[in-house]
Amino acid sequence: MKPIIQLSQNKEYKNWVKELKKRYLTARLKASVEANRTLLEYYWSLGCDIADRQYANTYGSAFFATLSHDLRTEMPGEQGFSETNIRYMYRFYELYSQLFRNLLQGVEDSETKKLLQGVEVSTQKFPHNAEELLKEICSIPWFHQQRIIDKCKGDPQKAIFFVRKTIENNWGRNAAEFLKD
């Protein structure tokens, strides 16, 4: 009778476990990236709504504080709806929407059209349609976006440069710190 080989000592088995770990971590990273992109698209749409309704332009209305309070009341326990963060959402939309002015939109999806609200881009260096550009912009973490918003002071060309460098170089949170003033 053959002796039973302990699986944990079997090289083929060990390699398979390592492959399973690698596949799991890759799947988890993809899920995280997709969740981040979806959340940033929501932030984009909230910023767009604020701009469309021109609520931010009412001096002395305490609009951002009121919206923050109301959203936190409607969704107790949810994070990300501080007055400061909602201001960033508005600034996020205001900064990047400038890039969309002349880009032809070949977008059929009505949900994406709602996100993009008829804005278009003015340079050929960008993706061929607004949906691709929004996906690119929303593919880096919110922390990075906040640093870019602060650093770029309304310059969308500079902002998209930093977005692309973050993607290209896989800059993490520490690398994004250089964007702080």
Side-chain angles (χ1 to χ4, degrees), residues 53-109:
R53 290 171 171 78
Q54 298 186 9
Y55 287 136
N57 298 334
T58 309
Y59 181 75
S61 68
F63 165 71
F64 289 102
T66 303
L67 181 59
S68 173
H69 174 269
D70 291 344
L71 286 172
R72 288 193 273 177
T73 299
E74 285 292 320
M75 297 179 279
E78 291 298 319
Q79 301 291 315
F81 294 108
S82 68
E83 180 179 349
T84 300
N85 210 37
I86 293 171
R87 284 182 190 276
Y88 270 113
M89 292 174 207
Y90 173 67
R91 291 174 61 202
F92 175 63
Y93 173 78
E94 288 289 300
L95 175 63
Y96 293 110
S97 66
Q98 298 172 58
L99 294 173
F100 291 85
R101 291 209 175 86
N102 297 319
L103 183 67
L104 295 174
Q105 293 185 40
V107 181
E108 295 296 322
D109 180 26

Side-chain angles (χ1 to χ4, degrees), residues 81-168:
F81 294 108
S82 68
E83 180 179 349
T84 300
N85 210 37
I86 293 171
R87 284 182 190 276
Y88 270 113
M89 292 174 207
Y90 173 67
R91 291 174 61 202
F92 175 63
Y93 173 78
E94 288 289 300
L95 175 63
Y96 293 110
S97 66
Q98 298 172 58
L99 294 173
F100 291 85
R101 291 209 175 86
N102 297 319
L103 183 67
L104 295 174
Q105 293 185 40
V107 181
E108 295 296 322
D109 180 26
S110 63
E111 183 62 28
T112 303
K113 284 183 180 179
K114 168 75 173 115
L115 290 173
L116 300 174
Q117 295 283 312
V119 290
E120 305 171 23
V121 160
S122 62
T123 172
Q124 284 96 42
K125 288 169 47 178
F126 294 102
H128 297 294
N129 68 47
E131 183 177 19
E132 290 176 19
L133 180 58
L134 184 61
K135 185 176 181 179
E136 180 179 30
I137 290 167
C138 293
S139 66
I140 67 171
W142 184 237
F143 174 84
H144 290 56
Q145 288 292 355
Q146 291 173 319
R147 302 295 74 78
I148 290 170
I149 291 165
D150 289 341
K151 185 72 170 185
C152 293
K153 309 272 190 248
D155 182 345
Q157 298 297 331
K158 188 175 179 182
I160 197 68
F161 168 81
F162 282 120
V163 167
R164 290 182 172 148
K165 286 297 180 183
T166 299
I167 294 166
E168 178 184 319

